[in-house]
Amino acid sequence: MPELSHRRRLLVLAICCMSLLIVSLDNTVLNVALPSLQRDLHASVAGLQWTIDAYTLVIATLLMLAGSTADRIGRRRVFQTGLVVFTVASLLCSLAGSLPLLVAFRMLQAVGGSMLNPVAMSIITNTFTDPRERARAIGVWGGVVGISMAAGPLIGGLLVDSVSWRAIFWLNLPVGLAALLLTMRYIPESRAPKARRPDPVGQLLVIALFGSLTYAIIAAPDAGLTSPRIITFALIAVAALAGLIAYEPRRPEPLIDVRFFRSAPFSGATAIAVSAFVALGGFLFLSTLYLQGVRGMSALHAGLWMLPMAVLTLICAPLSGRLVSSRGPRFSLVFAGVTLTVGGALFAAFDMEKSNVTLLVGYVLFGLGFGFVNAPITNTAVSGMPRSQAGVAAAVASTSRQVGSTLGVAVIGAVLASGVDGAAYRSTFVEASRPAWWIMTGCGALVLVVGALTSGRWAQATARRTAERLEAPETVPMEAATRG
């Protein structure tokens, strides 16, 4: 990629952030619309889970393929294709007449979405070569997630109350078209000097692993843990995981390069991303159903209640990016772990939902945690890696987020469905959701412990050794953007 002026680099960042906005906004807006969608399409809790998980699951299984493909054939080309597919699929989602059709179009949306975020992050990584400037750019990138969380519930609530849930998909059309036109004009094409070849066997194993695991979790409350169907899909997931562990290290250019995980910061960022986004996916799913299904709020009113959490995420993400660039990732990760753990424990142990004040306190704590956790995840995942592998490294980080969101909705939804009584939904919801809050508490504790362990001098030494092993003679190494 040619060296760009500071102004042009900022424009590239803005265009990439537009793609993140529509992908992130799509999920936050849809969460607010779940009760309305449930009534119109006569969907069960499992059906609601699939409207979200069909999207995140497909993205999770295709992100690494999209990242390596972009490195090989051109990042701008793949990015443009993703914008077209995502925008067209959004239009189709708005026209869906049944739940199966909506789920199918959501999967098509995800095919386009898989070509956006990891490729955009690869473009940003190769555009902002200075470590401190890159960390600040990633902080802005994380702030866009906060914007989507702040704007999504409000815009979604307004559209659902005034038009219908179908209108939420119309938001993607003008943004997607504008991003496509700006990409064609202002983002230069770039490729890796030596990109990985396709790995179809690895890709099929990833699809089998995530798909069968998610299906088993979502279907378990209705079918039963010991049913032949659930056991079969669980065994498929185990077999796929074993296949990946046995097959991938033997390939010269695998879909998942296990050498990345010799870096303690990279492995830590992956585990933290899964844990944090399990909590996020479960939090949004649970909160939306509680505010509208138990308290009887309108979609807009529920969106207003979630605004403090979203605004704090918006404010804290760029602040966390600056802290990562100047002091390293440890403070942000530890702070995020503490606030997520405390927030989850308060909901689990003290029924924070029953009082407006305590409910607000809980949402504030989750907003602080989510705001601080995203920047160190992204920055740690791509720092220290050769730029030729930026697409794959960024895709692993993005995959971890999507896997976390998928598992969060699947696990939290399954726990809720197994405990709530449909005939007495409002009176049993809080008690049924208590185990789910304990799960989110555990996720926060994992963020805290892993973040502290993988952000010190020993961890940074493993990152430097990993970069030396990965670095090819023709690639330019990326300097570490964090300090222990």
Side-chain angles (χ1 to χ4, degrees):
M1 178 179 288
E3 187 68 27
L4 304 178
S5 67
H6 178 69
R7 188 172 182 178
R8 182 75 174 271
R9 291 198 299 272
L10 292 180
L11 181 59
V12 170
L13 175 62
I15 296 169
C16 290
C17 285
M18 290 174 71
S19 73
L20 175 63
L21 179 63
I22 57 176
V23 173
S24 301
L25 193 66
D26 203 65
N27 263 344
T28 55
V29 170
L30 185 60
N31 268 282
V32 175
L34 287 178
S36 175
L37 189 151
Q38 184 178 31
R39 290 190 299 270
D40 287 356
L41 299 183
H42 309 291
S44 63
V45 172
L48 296 181
Q49 289 173 275
W50 277 117
T51 61
I52 296 175
D53 272 0
Y55 178 80
T56 55
L57 178 61
V58 172
I59 285 187
T61 57
L62 296 181
L63 279 172
M64 285 179 284
L65 174 64
S68 60
T69 302
D71 284 345
R72 184 171 59 255
I73 70 173
R75 298 179 180 113
R76 185 180 70 174
R77 179 183 299 179
V78 172
F79 189 66
Q80 289 177 165
T81 303
L83 286 169
V84 171
V85 173
F86 188 88
T87 305
V88 171
S90 297
L91 177 61
L92 293 175
C93 285
S94 72
L95 302 174
S98 65
L99 185 66
L101 276 178
L102 178 61
V103 170
F105 293 146
R106 287 279 288 167
M107 295 175 72
L108 181 60
Q109 253 193 326
V111 173
S114 69
M115 304 180 200
L116 297 180
N117 288 0
V119 180
M121 179 51 62
S122 181
I123 292 171
I124 291 172
T125 301
N126 284 271
T127 300
F128 293 89
T129 55
D130 176 75
R132 292 182 180 273
E133 191 178 33
R134 186 192 312 122
R136 288 192 293 269
I138 291 173
V140 173
W141 171 268
V144 174
V145 177
I147 292 174
S148 71
M149 292 181 69
L154 291 178
I155 297 174
L158 183 63
L159 289 174
V160 170
D161 287 348
S162 60
V163 186
S164 79
W165 61 266
R166 299 179 185 278
I168 64 177
F169 295 105
W170 301 341
L171 294 173
N172 300 328
L173 305 184
V175 179
L177 181 60
L180 176 63
L181 296 176
L182 290 170
T183 298
M184 295 170 64
R185 180 172 178 82
Y186 293 109
I187 294 184
E189 184 62 280
S190 64
R191 297 178 179 84
K194 186 179 184 299
R196 285 185 177 85
R197 290 175 294 182
D199 179 9
V201 174
Q203 183 62 58
L204 288 174
L205 288 172
V206 167
I207 293 173
L209 170 61
F210 293 150
S212 57
L213 178 62
T214 303
Y215 179 85
I217 293 172
I218 291 178
D222 290 332
L225 288 174
T226 58
S227 73
R229 179 159 47 107
I230 301 303
I231 292 175
T232 298
F233 278 93
L235 290 175
I236 291 173
V238 172
L241 178 59
L244 280 171
I245 294 173
Y247 176 78
E248 289 297 286
R250 299 180 181 180
R251 280 186 57 85
E253 295 180 343
L255 178 71
I256 304 173
D257 194 333
V258 295
R259 292 179 300 170
F260 284 2
F261 295 94
R262 294 174 182 172
S263 165
F266 184 88
S267 297
T270 302
I272 290 167
V274 173
S275 300
F277 278 78
V278 164
L280 176 60
F283 174 84
L284 293 175
F285 188 80
L286 209 60
S287 296
T288 299
L289 294 181
Y290 170 76
L291 292 173
Q292 296 186 55
V294 178
R295 288 206 169 192
M297 296 181 184
S298 67
L300 180 58
H301 193 188
L304 288 170
W305 259 102
M306 298 178 70
L307 187 59
M309 182 272 292
V311 169
L312 281 171
T313 302
L314 170 62
I315 294 172
C316 293
L319 174 60
S320 178
R322 293 190 190 98
L323 287 171
V324 170
S325 68
S326 62
R327 299 178 55 183
R330 173 166 286 184
F331 176 84
S332 292
L333 290 174
V334 170
F335 184 81
V338 169
T339 51
L340 290 174
T341 303
V342 173
L346 289 175
F347 274 106
F350 299 106
D351 294 341
M352 299 279 279
E353 303 98 327
K354 293 184 177 180
S355 163
N356 287 343
V357 174
T358 55
L359 182 63
L360 180 62
V361 170
Y363 283 6
V364 166
L365 288 171
F366 270 88
L368 289 170
F370 295 137
F372 271 88
V373 79
N374 212 31
I377 290 172
T378 306
N379 194 65
T380 303
V382 299
S383 296
M385 297 296 176
R387 268 205 297 264
S388 63
Q389 311 238 6
V392 177
V396 172
S398 297
T399 298
S400 302
R401 291 185 180 85
Q402 298 299 333
V403 169
S405 294
T406 302
L407 292 178
V409 173
V411 172
I412 300 305
V415 169
L416 178 66
S418 63
V420 74
D421 184 352
Y425 187 85
R426 294 191 176 189
S427 60
T428 60
F429 186 97
V430 171
E431 188 62 30
S433 64
R434 194 185 299 272
W437 288 113
W438 281 121
I439 291 172
M440 287 184 265
T441 302
C443 290
L446 191 62
V447 170
L448 171 61
V449 173
V450 176
L453 291 175
T454 61
S455 57
R457 292 182 179 178
W458 163 80
Q460 291 302 316
T462 67
R464 286 191 293 270
R465 290 194 296 269
T466 301
E468 291 170 0
R469 294 189 184 102
L470 290 171
E471 188 178 277
E474 67 270 22
T475 62
V476 180
M478 289 170 55
E479 302 175 38
T482 59
R483 295 185 295 184

